[in-house]
Amino acid sequence: MADKEGEGGKYSMKLNKDFYQRTDVVKIARELLGKVLFTNVNGITASGIIVETEAYSWKERGCHAYGARKTQRNAIMFEPGGFAYVYLCYGMHNMFNVVTNKEGVADAILVRAIEPISGLPEMKIRRGNLLNEFQLTSGPGKLTKALGIDRKLNGKSLFENEVWIEDAGKQIASGNIDVTPRIGIDYAGEDARLPWRFTIKGNKWVSK
């Protein structure tokens, strides 16, 4: 990891290819908890602590690239780890994913929720009127809207300065992580029951 002074803070470090290009997507999904997701959109930087993730592998039916099937939509998943995969869900919600593993191996991690820490005024403008503050980023479609993430960021390198993730030195102990099946993938059959969703225990920003 390289020092990243300025955008993310003096003591933070931007995650590098050695983090993303490992072969165990489930392990990486766990380790993303506590890391900080940043965007710089139209000159405005916003960020939040990752509190919920889901792992996806080409080997299981929940994945867009199941069976190594490459399409125009999922092509970025076949690149080396360290790219953003942003797709549209239900024709309205942008979903932000982190591509992992080596080139040609289509694994990715969906970031499902963050705890906002900077850029809150702009986040609130992007999200509009909310019933309570925890609706700001407590879900995959909510956080992308708050951070200004849309399909324009699909395929962007996470090593540059539009969208990236930093290690701010916060490690989440195993005892503070809840492990459950992923959400909304009943079509995946038995694979829908894989315990590949990870959340920070007790965090109020986890999706409901």
Side-chain angles (χ1 to χ4, degrees):
M1 299 176 188
D3 289 336
K4 186 69 172 56
E5 186 171 343
E7 286 131 338
K10 186 174 181 180
Y11 303 106
S12 299
M13 296 183 292
K14 184 180 289 186
L15 300 180
N16 67 14
K17 65 180 182 179
D18 293 334
F19 181 90
Y20 298 114
Q21 293 180 12
R22 292 174 292 166
T23 58
D24 189 342
V25 68
V26 176
K27 179 179 175 64
I28 299 171
R30 290 182 68 110
E31 293 181 0
L32 277 176
L33 295 178
K35 304 297 190 289
V36 183
L37 173 60
F38 284 84
T39 57
N40 189 315
V41 178
N42 297 325
I44 297 172
T45 300
S47 66
I49 299 167
I50 297 172
V51 300
E52 181 178 355
T53 61
E54 288 181 346
Y56 289 87
S57 169
W58 68 275
K59 298 178 182 179
E60 50 83 23
R61 291 174 176 81
C63 183
H64 288 172
Y66 173 58
R69 185 174 65 91
K70 188 175 184 179
T71 66
Q72 184 176 0
R73 180 197 199 194
N74 70 16
I76 192 63
M77 292 182 67
F78 292 81
E79 296 300 317
F83 287 94
Y85 172 38
V86 183
Y87 66 88
L88 200 61
C89 183
Y90 301 127
M92 57 189 299
H93 299 299
N94 290 295
M95 312 289 266
F96 173 77
N97 300 259
V98 174
V99 175
T100 68
N101 219 315
K102 309 298 182 183
E103 184 174 5
V105 183
D107 291 348
I109 297 160
L110 172 64
V111 177
R112 284 193 53 90
I114 62 171
E115 178 180 338
I117 56 176
S118 73
L120 269 69
E122 185 66 20
M123 285 191 194
K124 291 176 180 178
I125 291 171
R126 289 167 176 160
R127 288 283 287 122
N129 294 326
L130 303 174
L131 294 176
N132 67 70
E133 64 175 328
F134 296 110
Q135 290 186 343
L136 187 64
T137 56
S138 58
K142 298 174 185 177
L143 76 88
T144 54
K145 190 170 183 180
L147 290 176
I149 294 173
D150 59 21
R151 288 273 298 149
K152 293 177 183 176
L153 292 181
N154 183 53
K156 293 292 184 180
S157 169
L158 299 178
F159 311 129
E160 297 178 359
N161 298 315
E162 290 181 86
V163 57
W164 69 95
I165 300 174
E166 295 190 6
D167 184 347
K170 183 181 179 69
Q171 292 191 346
I172 310 301
S174 294
N176 292 326
I177 297 175
D178 282 329
V179 182
T180 64
R182 294 165 296 178
I183 294 173
I185 58 166
D186 293 342
Y187 58 83
E190 291 184 1
D191 290 335
R193 294 194 288 271
L194 290 170
W196 285 9
R197 174 177 173 253
F198 305 98
T199 62
I200 296 180
K201 187 174 295 184
N203 189 281
K204 296 179 180 179
W205 296 91
V206 170
S207 67
K208 302 299 187 290

